[in-house]
Amino acid sequence: MLHATCYMKLLVTGGAGFIGSNFIHYILKKYPDYEVVNLDVLTYAGNLENLKDLENNSRYRFVKGDIADYALVNKLAGEVDTIVHFAAESHVDRSILDSKAFIETNIVGTHALLEAARGNGNKRFHHISTDEVFGSLETGDPAFNEKTPYDPRSPYSASKASSDHLVRSYFHTFGLPITISNCSNNYGPYHFPEKIIPLFITNLIEGKKVPLYGNGMNVRDWLHVEDHCRAIDMIIHNGVIGDTYCIGGNAEKTNKEITYKILELMGKGEESIEFVADRKGHDQRYAIDFSKIKQELGWEPTIAFEDGLQQTMQWYQDNPEWWTNIKNGSYQEYYKKQYGE
Ligand code: NAD
Ligand code: TYD
């Protein structure tokens, strides 16, 4: 079932980050009349260079601000019809070092947005979450699905689980028209080089080693960001209100497999691997059963991991300025130059 084309004005939160910026590009390209307001506070993970090409696009507006600013989000929610909520502190290792911002953004910030959606006549609200809320699988365990009980094990995943519960509570209590998606590990262009795939690719381009945690046998299910954006598009147009959708890449790989694949693509040998101390509480395996979204909305991943990884490596090779500006810190000056603050 496809909706007749309708006009949408979207408030995208966290649109200067990895998935949010890919989503804004995707939506503005696919729907020639849609408008997007991007609310982002520009933490270390927010990078306006991801959206450089949209600066003069009349259908796009950037607002620098915090999702936990109740007055600001209340005002912005009044200007749109749909909220697509990506903004989060998203890196597990940072949540182990200091989790305060994870509570403030992922929990309090989500609450502020829910209140804003409710206070403006129950705006349509889509919440982006993660498979990490379901905990950790062992080899042979069935993959996570929409009925898997929550069992978060890092401060990051606990804060995301908390936000999911809040979102669902606003559906049951206030009738807020919500949907939630829990997806597996994304990869692709504009991925901040602190996550395994972009970190390893850029380290190798720089002639550095790649730090593999523990024995390298932890498993993640890799989803190309473009396939993810298409799934969100389908959910915001055709998803069942109140429902959750699990989105996976059908590409379970150990970190060692990923590392060897990247080394091979880049013509490097295993002497470039440095085995380092394991992450505290390191979840062993994530895997997603995406049969619900496949059956109900006709979505499935279309980008094979090997192709997606090759394209991603090429993107980092073709865009050295983008990631060197991050690695040397100068990307944070870009906003000041553009907006004069
Ligand atoms: P990211 O870290 O690349 O980007 C997060 C963005 O949110 C940044 O632009 C940052 O500036 C912004 N932000 C942070 N705190 C904010 C605040 N208080 N107010 C306004 N903006 C704020 O994250 P990502 O990888 O693009 O992830 C987006 C969403 O998808 C997150 O909710 C994350 O939990 C979820 N997710 C990500 C993955 C993945 O593999 N990257 C997998 C599953 C789910
Ligand atoms: P990451 O990209 O941080 O995503 P997540 O923790 O959300 O799954 O990590 C993916 C896997 O890669 C995870 O098992 C930890 C491992 N990893 C390394 O081995 N070395 C690294 O430098 C990083 C960042 C991650």
Side-chain angles (χ1 to χ4, degrees):
M1 180 196 56
L2 283 180
H3 264 236
T5 308
C6 51
Y7 166 78
M8 270 195 193
K9 185 162 182 183
L10 305 164
L11 175 61
V12 172
T13 71
F18 163 46
I19 307 175
S21 60
N22 275 283
F23 180 73
I24 291 174
H25 281 119
Y26 177 96
I27 284 290
L28 290 176
K29 190 167 165 207
K30 177 159 178 194
Y31 299 101
D33 55 343
Y34 281 22
E35 293 180 69
V36 170
V37 178
N38 172 17
L39 172 64
D40 197 300
V41 79
L42 300 180
T43 66
Y44 78 92
N47 185 355
L48 286 182
E49 293 193 20
N50 300 3
L51 300 154
K52 236 178 184 170
D53 54 324
L54 298 178
E55 267 157 25
N56 298 318
N57 187 322
S58 59
R59 295 187 292 125
Y60 169 76
R61 180 159 68 99
F62 174 69
V63 177
K64 185 176 189 295
D66 193 331
I67 57 164
D69 179 340
Y70 283 75
L72 174 65
V73 297
N74 184 52
K75 179 177 159 289
L76 293 175
E79 297 170 12
V80 300
D81 44 66
T82 303
I83 298 167
V84 186
H85 176 32
F86 294 90
E89 287 293 334
S90 69
H91 193 45
V92 175
D93 292 325
R94 287 179 189 260
S95 82
I96 295 168
L97 291 173
D98 183 358
S99 51
K100 194 159 178 281
F102 289 73
I103 306 305
E104 286 164 357
T105 289
N106 300 2
I107 305 178
V108 180
T110 301
H111 180 253
L113 286 165
L114 289 166
E115 278 293 294
R118 181 166 90 91
N120 282 281
N122 270 1
K123 293 286 161 86
R124 176 79 174 84
F125 192 99
H126 181 67
H127 178 60
I128 314 295
S129 191
T130 167
D131 58 1
E132 305 193 24
V133 298
F134 300 122
S136 176
L137 297 169
E138 294 301 328
T139 315
D141 285 347
F144 302 131
N145 65 30
E146 292 77 7
K147 296 198 166 70
T148 305
Y150 276 40
D151 184 22
R153 294 156 39 105
S154 73
Y156 163 64
S157 53
S159 67
K160 290 296 291 187
S162 180
S163 65
D164 292 10
H165 292 319
L166 275 172
V167 174
R168 239 172 245 123
S169 80
Y170 271 63
F171 167 67
H172 291 294
T173 308
F174 303 113
L176 194 73
I178 66 102
T179 41
I180 298 177
S181 50
N182 296 86
C183 70
S184 60
N185 286 60
N186 284 219
Y187 70 101
Y190 302 114
H191 203 183
F192 198 86
E194 66 181 349
K195 305 280 169 87
I196 188 168
I197 289 180
L199 178 71
F200 282 18
I201 292 173
T202 56
N203 272 15
L204 291 171
I205 298 176
E206 291 179 302
K208 293 182 189 159
K209 291 193 178 216
V210 298
L212 193 53
Y213 295 169
N215 60 9
M217 294 310 287
N218 302 69
V219 174
R220 299 292 182 263
D221 175 3
W222 291 95
L223 169 68
H224 194 279
V225 66
E226 204 177 302
D227 275 330
H228 184 196
C229 291
R230 195 166 41 82
I232 298 168
D233 176 16
M234 287 176 161
I235 296 169
I236 61 177
H237 288 94
N238 295 311
V240 174
I241 298 302
D243 268 22
T244 292
Y245 296 88
C246 281
I247 307 170
N250 208 13
E252 279 188 61
K253 308 278 174 210
T254 64
N255 294 334
K256 229 177 178 172
E257 285 175 286
I258 300 280
T259 307
Y260 276 93
K261 196 82 217 157
I262 295 174
L263 289 174
E264 186 194 321
L265 283 172
M266 305 206 41
K268 302 277 183 177
E270 58 188 356
E271 66 284 355
S272 293
I273 302 176
E274 184 179 6
F275 283 93
V276 297
D278 208 355
R279 173 184 280 173
K280 286 193 177 80
H282 198 169
D283 287 345
Q284 179 53 38
R285 173 178 163 239
Y286 306 139
I288 284 267
D289 169 358
F290 58 84
S291 40
K292 174 178 168 174
I293 189 168
K294 184 174 176 183
Q295 277 157 21
E296 293 188 7
L297 302 183
W299 178 90
E300 61 185 325
T302 57
I303 302 174
F305 180 73
E306 284 66 26
D307 297 340
L309 188 65
Q310 159 78 45
Q311 285 164 17
T312 303
M313 187 208 66
Q314 197 58 52
W315 188 87
Y316 282 87
Q317 282 187 326
D318 292 345
N319 293 279
E321 213 185 326
W322 182 86
W323 57 265
T324 48
N325 283 350
I326 291 178
K327 286 195 163 182
N328 69 26
S330 63
Y331 72 110
Q332 287 171 320
E333 297 303 310
Y334 182 76
Y335 170 79
K336 293 177 196 153
K337 269 193 229 134
Q338 293 303 308
Y339 293 84
E341 273 176 40

